[in-house]
Amino acid sequence: MTKMPTFYISHGGGPWPWVPQLRAIFKNLEASFVQMEEDLPERPKAVVMISGHWEADQVRVMSSDAPTMEYDYSGFPPETYQIRYGAPGDPALAERIIGLLAGAGISATPDPKQGYDHGTFVPMQIMYPDADVPLIQVSMLSSYDPAKHFEIGRALAPLRDEGVLIIGSGLSYHNMSKMNPAAKVPSAGFDAWLGETLAKAPEARTADLLNWESAPHARECHVKEDHWVPIYVAVGAAEQATATLVYHETDLLGGITASSYRFD
């Protein structure tokens, strides 16, 4: 089986594929998700998503064979609270993940109740609209500790050789108070640092990512790092891999620079 890449993606705002005005705004992001799927070496056996919308004190692994939905947004049209993304779960893969994490000294527990959040079902709706690829989520740690999330990624790396696609889903810029032209300078500065960092040799790249708060405008771009932390799992699972830019936009919502990367 071909080794799968990993991704760190910017997933956009709320349930945008179901809101025509927003779908138009995120048309370039949508095109990037379509291209991501087309460029995979083969159809994945399953997708493991680490979303910026699920965190816990201990790693939790979605274990239901038919996960429900989490409508973790507000102020959207009523129909967006009826969305169903019906991809099957994968309890056997959940057990495999828990075992891999345990082997790396990381405590994890199954979660049969967690549903798909929009950081997961939005990109999957574009990539696999028939919801026919098994899909599970692995939580972030609420500590947001970069080193620990690197360790999670390293532990999950063997899944790449088993046909499993690992995606860290967040946003390379995520300051909810400045989702407007005020984001122009900070998001561009941080994005430039991210591109330069990911182009470095693996050891230097890892060191700089761990020291991310020294990046230009780091805390202005990520006041809370929930949408940033998924990158560590994606890079940790492909630590020796080359980073390739797969989405880049410089005027999103009037000023935001945002990017997504593939690692293989």
Side-chain angles (χ1 to χ4, degrees):
M1 190 167 285
T2 305
K3 183 186 288 286
M4 298 298 283
T6 71
F7 290 90
Y8 171 65
I9 62 170
S10 293
H11 63 235
W16 60 263
W18 291 268
V19 182
Q21 302 95 315
L22 285 178
R23 190 163 189 170
I25 289 170
F26 289 108
K27 63 182 185 301
N28 294 331
L29 181 61
E30 179 171 357
S32 77
F33 291 157
V34 171
Q35 194 65 50
M36 278 169 49
E37 191 280 327
E38 291 179 353
D39 289 344
L40 290 176
E42 60 189 30
R43 183 180 175 84
K45 177 183 175 182
V47 175
V48 172
M49 192 82 69
I50 300 86
S51 166
H53 292 277
W54 188 26
E55 60 190 62
D57 291 340
Q58 179 187 58
V59 178
R60 303 185 73 84
V61 181
M62 181 182 285
S63 59
S64 170
D65 60 358
T68 57
M69 303 292 290
E70 300 285 339
Y71 304 114
D72 53 346
Y73 41 77
S74 60
F76 289 92
E79 61 270 19
T80 64
Y81 299 89
Q82 305 297 322
I83 293 167
R84 293 288 183 270
Y85 187 75
D90 193 332
L93 178 56
E95 288 186 18
R96 170 76 170 134
I97 289 170
I98 291 169
L100 287 171
L101 292 170
I106 301 168
S107 180
T109 186
D111 190 326
K113 296 183 178 180
Q114 178 67 25
Y116 296 135
D117 63 51
H118 81 266
T120 293
F121 70 74
V122 163
M124 289 295 290
Q125 171 67 27
I126 303 302
M127 294 175 70
Y128 299 104
D130 293 333
D132 54 356
V133 175
L135 171 65
I136 65 175
Q137 292 186 228
V138 174
S139 78
M140 299 180 296
L141 292 168
S142 53
S143 67
Y144 301 142
D145 186 307
K148 290 182 179 178
H149 288 88
F150 255 121
E151 291 171 5
I152 292 169
R154 291 170 184 140
L156 299 183
L159 297 176
R160 297 178 58 209
D161 292 309
E162 300 170 18
V164 176
L165 178 63
I166 298 170
I167 300 176
S169 176
L171 265 172
S172 60
Y173 172 88
H174 194 254
N175 182 336
M176 293 302 291
S177 69
K178 295 181 179 179
M179 288 291 187
N180 52 46
K184 191 171 187 65
V185 170
S187 66
F190 185 79
D191 190 87
W193 169 87
L194 178 58
E196 292 167 4
T197 295
L198 294 181
K200 292 183 177 180
E203 185 174 344
R205 177 175 70 187
T206 295
D208 283 2
L209 287 173
L210 288 171
N211 193 35
W212 77 278
E213 287 183 275
S214 68
H217 307 284
R219 277 297 175 186
E220 192 174 355
C221 293
H222 295 283
V223 178
K224 180 182 178 184
E225 57 264 47
D226 51 351
H227 281 58
W228 169 244
V229 162
I231 196 172
Y232 295 108
V233 181
V235 177
E239 201 161 4
Q240 301 302 311
T242 298
T244 302
L245 184 69
V246 295
Y247 163 71
H248 182 70
E249 197 151 4
T250 59
D251 199 29
L252 190 64
L253 299 176
I256 295 169
T257 297
S259 296
S260 301
Y261 285 87
R262 170 176 169 148
F263 303 94
D264 66 350

